[in-house]
Amino acid sequence: MAAERAARTAAAAADPKRRPKEWRGPLSGIRVTDFCWMGVGACATRILADFGAEVIRIEDRNRLDLPRRLPIYMNGPIRAYGDELLDPDPDAAGMYNNYNRNKLGITLNMRDPRGRKLAERLISLSSVVTENFAPGVMERWGLTYDRICELTPEPVMARMSGYGHSGPHSHFRSYGPVVQAVSGLSHVSGLPGREPSGWGLSYMDNMAAFYNGIGLLMAIYHRNNTGKGSEVDVSAIEAGIGLLGPIMLDVSMNGKKTRSPDFPLGNRIEYPDAAPHGVYPTQGEDRWIAIAIFNEAEWQALVAELGDPGWASDPRFATQPARFANQDALDELLGAATAERERYDLMHRLQHRSVAAAVVQNAEDINENDEQVAQSGVFFELDHPVIGPAKFEGMPIRFSGMEQHNWRSAPLLGEDNHQVFTEILGVSEDEYHQLVDEGVI
């Protein structure tokens, strides 16, 4: 198996279609030594790679990046999200492929002094360094910001962690679900009168990554204007707190509690008095539609589409305030009515009557049924030596005169070793093969 993987990596490295012909985009000319892993780091540097930066992703053969071990695997068995494989094919993971498109990938043993020397040589030829390890890892390698300033002039060094790199909790490790709990996001999620539900994914990994990307771009812009580098320190906890602004204002100014028998609101809305306002079942298993009614005209349109059911004339639903006060009863009756209807047909009919309604779409719907998503081109396809053609989600931003540069899917493990070490760092062929044989590369 190891020989087979080595052969396919060599074949991919030799494929001219897997080599960039040029770096295109507003960030072309910027080389990034990227120590980031998982989503919170990889998504941030992916933004740079998508728009022209030469991002060189450093990995450890003996400690595979978690997305190389987690689902989704092409043609693999269905597994729970956190169900790691004991002996995974590191090149078959869809999550890693998505996080690391448009990047170069090398392997380096940072536990070996020769590996650290090679990393320093790469940093000396870069202007940006990124990492999102547990606090203390870069320090143990001697790669402090002061040392990086000695290696390359006016660098941008972006450090991304759960708690930031100062303060009494700076040494704590964290993952997305922990960040969501500590920042207060989990406490305000869920249904009214129930325990906090948490979130079904590491939401803050991605959200913090976007803050990390913003920090990197601001530091690069600052250097372009002033010639001065920056050390960027992003705390995912603080990024999560930043998403709670209106709720924190309500608590501090109005004495509102963030958990009570009627809060969080679930699918409902606190202001204005919208009712019905929620998600309702439709025909089929686990098929739903969202409907929001804000005034009498919309209510009458909804009732007409449902065929003027008798319950709609119930005095409890005679006015918008009355409907708002009796939402439980209204939701039960409306759900029974929508359960008999096909979701997309009902959505279009309600929209035609100027009622706010939308199908609750799953992944298949977004990929196959959504005309708006299809025309936007947010999904694009790249080929991969192991996975084959695969879809990626692009940046949800459009520019005039500028576009995302999608030149390659994610690197195979160590795919760009020879190119980076011999062509960029100037390692001789003999030394290169010796370093490979001795496990440094």
Side-chain angles (χ1 to χ4, degrees):
M1 182 64 72
E4 178 184 335
R5 291 174 182 171
R8 77 186 184 199
T9 301
D15 185 350
K17 297 191 297 294
R18 300 278 296 170
R19 300 279 298 269
K21 295 181 177 62
E22 60 177 332
W23 301 102
R24 299 202 313 268
L27 300 177
S28 59
I30 294 175
R31 177 176 290 145
V32 182
T33 296
D34 182 18
F35 290 96
C36 289
W37 68 304
M38 269 304 290
V40 70
C43 282
T45 56
R46 187 181 69 180
I47 295 172
L48 306 186
D50 284 348
F51 289 92
E54 182 187 15
V55 177
I56 302 176
R57 172 84 162 76
I58 298 175
E59 296 186 77
D60 186 337
R61 287 190 181 276
N62 299 312
R63 188 169 183 263
L64 292 177
D65 193 356
L66 195 57
R68 287 197 183 272
R69 310 194 300 266
L70 293 175
I72 301 170
Y73 266 63
M74 188 68 173
N75 300 320
I78 297 175
R79 296 182 289 131
Y81 176 77
D83 188 8
E84 297 182 44
L85 291 178
L86 296 178
D87 184 26
D89 182 341
D91 301 319
M95 183 185 296
Y96 182 88
N97 189 27
N98 186 33
Y99 281 165
N100 293 282
R101 66 184 184 229
N102 302 324
K103 300 179 185 178
L104 298 171
I106 65 172
T107 54
L108 201 55
N109 183 358
M110 294 295 290
R111 291 176 295 278
D112 190 303
R114 294 170 295 175
R116 294 195 292 274
K117 286 294 183 184
L118 288 168
E120 289 193 345
R121 286 168 65 178
L122 181 58
I123 290 170
S124 71
L125 298 172
S126 305
S127 62
V128 176
V129 178
T130 60
E131 63 96 3
N132 68 308
F133 293 124
V137 172
M138 295 294 278
E139 286 77 7
R140 288 197 296 273
W141 292 340
L143 294 177
T144 63
Y145 185 61
D146 288 342
R147 174 57 179 156
I148 289 171
C149 287
E150 295 173 357
L151 295 169
T152 188
E154 301 299 340
V156 169
M157 182 184 185
R159 315 197 67 186
M160 316 165 197
S161 66
Y163 294 82
H165 287 79
S166 62
H169 296 165
S170 59
H171 61 289
F172 287 175
R173 300 180 181 183
S174 67
Y175 285 93
V178 173
V179 171
Q180 287 145 209
V182 176
S183 65
L185 286 170
S186 295
H187 193 67
V188 299
S189 68
L191 298 173
R194 294 289 303 275
E195 70 281 357
S197 67
W199 300 36
L201 76 165
S202 294
Y203 175 77
M204 277 309 301
D205 276 356
N206 281 22
M207 290 305 300
F210 299 140
Y211 279 91
N212 295 335
I214 291 170
L216 275 161
L217 293 173
M218 289 178 65
I220 292 169
Y221 183 78
H222 173 74
R223 183 174 61 194
N224 288 347
N225 284 338
T226 67
K228 300 296 183 181
S230 302
E231 183 177 14
V232 182
D233 187 6
V234 177
S235 161
I237 300 292
E238 294 173 27
I241 293 171
L243 299 175
L244 289 172
I247 292 176
M248 295 184 74
L249 181 63
D250 203 12
V251 169
S252 61
M253 298 302 295
N254 301 324
K256 186 71 175 286
K257 293 185 179 298
T258 55
R259 186 155 293 277
S260 64
D262 60 354
F263 195 88
L265 299 169
N267 290 316
R268 293 174 179 173
I269 189 172
E270 191 169 27
Y271 178 85
D273 291 349
H277 188 287
V279 173
Y280 305 93
T282 58
Q283 283 180 359
E285 183 179 356
D286 198 24
R287 298 290 185 261
W288 308 84
I289 187 170
I291 299 173
I293 300 295
F294 291 89
N295 55 50
E296 192 63 30
E298 293 171 355
W299 167 251
Q300 293 301 329
L302 171 65
V303 169
E305 180 55 43
L306 297 178
D308 294 309
W311 54 261
S313 60
D314 189 307
R316 293 176 299 173
F317 312 138
T319 65
Q320 188 73 0
R323 291 190 288 273
F324 188 78
N326 294 282
Q327 288 183 79
D328 287 341
L330 178 58
D331 282 350
E332 184 175 353
L333 292 164
L334 178 58
T338 59
E340 301 174 356
R341 304 289 292 269
E342 196 282 323
R343 55 191 180 136
Y344 278 101
D345 178 69
L346 179 58
M347 176 187 77
H348 291 306
R349 289 177 177 275
L350 289 174
Q351 289 176 351
H352 183 72
R353 294 177 181 270
S354 299
V355 173
V359 165
V360 178
Q361 298 193 137
N362 58 27
E364 180 184 4
D365 296 325
I366 294 169
N367 276 282
E368 306 296 339
N369 299 327
D370 193 304
E371 297 175 349
Q372 179 67 24
V373 170
Q375 70 81 35
S376 73
V378 68
F379 292 123
F380 60 93
E381 192 172 274
L382 293 173
D383 200 4
H384 187 277
V386 176
I387 297 172
K391 281 189 175 181
F392 295 76
E393 93 280 4
M395 288 286 289
I397 307 169
R398 305 290 176 269
F399 303 91
S400 61
M402 182 174 66
E403 63 182 17
Q404 187 172 321
H405 182 202
N406 299 312
W407 61 275
R408 192 180 76 174
S409 55
L412 305 188
L413 185 64
E415 177 177 345
D416 301 297
N417 280 349
H418 188 269
Q419 176 194 350
V420 171
F421 289 113
T422 63
E423 297 180 20
I424 295 178
L425 299 189
V427 173
S428 70
E429 288 289 337
D430 289 343
E431 183 185 2
Y432 172 77
H433 291 293
Q434 181 182 354
L435 291 169
V436 171
D437 292 341
E438 295 178 1
V440 179
I441 294 176

